[in-house]
């Protein structure tokens, strides 16, 4: 269950990144054309693209979503996975409890950050 929640948090982060880059990188002429053809989504999007204030608010909302999902991912992942990894460090490395907990927290956060940067930031930007 832990890995499903971690995957969902990374997915939501990627979704916010996609939404942000889609709003910035979209061709206004194509959206206007689709809106004239009665495309409902294009009609909704054109209001954000034409108004710089609304676009700024939209991008800010995406950034808030990215930040919140990243923070939750780190906190949740650390709480669930670091406690599992700490006993391994303690037994294999002959570490004290504090050192094993610190090392496992560092490794988990490093792994989750790397995983998130690739799957939730770089892949959506490439798409």
């Amino acid at each position: 269950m832990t890995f499903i929640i971690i995957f969902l948090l990374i997915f939501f982060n990627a979704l916010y990144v996609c939404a942000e880059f889609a709003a910035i990188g979209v061709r206004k002429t194509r959206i206007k054309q689709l809106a004239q053809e009665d495309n409902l989504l294009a009609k909704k999007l054109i209001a954000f693209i034409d108004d710089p204030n609304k676009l700024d608010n939209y991008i800010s909302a995406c950034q808030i979503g990215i930040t919140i999902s990243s923070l939750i991912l780190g906190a949740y992942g650390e709480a669930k996975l670091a406690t599992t990894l700490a006993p391994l460090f303690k037994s294999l490395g002959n570490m004290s409890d504090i050192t094993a907990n610190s090392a496992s927290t560092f490794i988990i956060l490093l792994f989750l950050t790397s995983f998130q940067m690739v799957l939730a930031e770089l892949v959506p930007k490439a798409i």
Side-chain angles (χ1 to χ4, degrees):
M1 184 67 173
T2 299
F3 290 106
I4 293 171
I5 293 172
I6 288 172
F7 175 76
L8 286 174
L9 288 167
I10 291 172
F11 172 77
F12 286 127
N13 195 325
L15 191 65
Y16 288 119
V17 170
C18 285
E20 178 185 11
F21 274 83
I24 293 170
V26 70
R27 291 181 305 158
K28 289 182 184 181
T29 55
R30 179 68 178 139
I31 296 300
K32 287 180 181 180
Q33 177 188 6
L34 288 171
Q36 290 172 349
E37 295 172 0
D38 288 332
N39 183 307
L40 190 60
L41 293 175
K43 286 181 179 181
K44 289 181 180 183
L45 184 60
I46 201 72
F48 290 98
I49 293 173
D50 280 344
D51 186 354
N53 290 329
K54 285 184 179 181
L55 184 59
D56 285 345
N57 290 340
Y58 181 82
I59 292 170
S60 296
C62 290
Q63 285 295 317
I64 290 170
I66 291 167
T67 303
I68 289 173
S69 60
S70 297
L71 290 173
I72 292 171
L73 173 65
Y76 180 80
E78 187 274 330
K80 292 293 185 177
L81 299 176
T83 56
T84 306
L85 194 59
L88 180 66
F89 280 135
K90 188 176 178 184
S91 65
L92 292 178
N94 200 19
M95 298 178 180
S96 68
D97 287 339
I98 294 172
T99 306
N101 287 334
S102 297
S104 65
T105 297
F106 175 77
I107 295 296
I108 291 299
L109 291 178
L110 183 67
F111 173 76
L112 288 176
T113 301
S114 301
F115 199 61
Q116 177 197 350
M117 283 187 339
V118 171
L119 291 180
E121 294 284 338
L122 297 177
V123 171
K125 288 176 184 176
I127 293 173

